Amino acid sequence: IKTIDDALKHPELFPAPEDASKGAVFNGPPGWGGTLATAQFFKAYDAEKKGFTLVDTGSAAGLDGSLAKAYERKQGWVGYYWEP
């Protein structure tokens, strides 16, 4: 997987926490610029029609936890993460 389009062809590789039959794109907390960008990319790439759901992590800790959980489970993870 090298592009966003490549990832969106495989929702099964990025299981959503509430419904594993869908792929997940994890979004950051309110107020982060990346959160807005991720939501706009989700819409622009028509990710919902491709079997994905946009997951609101609610906080920086929630976003961290989603990434750590995917790593521990050896599952794919799609989202935007930024650190200064």
Side-chain angles (χ1 to χ4, degrees), residues 23-59:
V25 175
F26 291 92
N27 211 352
W32 284 15
T35 301
L36 179 60
T38 301
Q40 292 305 314
F41 274 117
F42 189 84
K43 290 178 190 176
Y45 280 88
D46 223 2
E48 187 171 3
K49 288 184 181 175
K50 295 174 181 170
F52 282 78
T53 186
L54 186 61
V55 178
D56 179 8
T57 58
S59 67

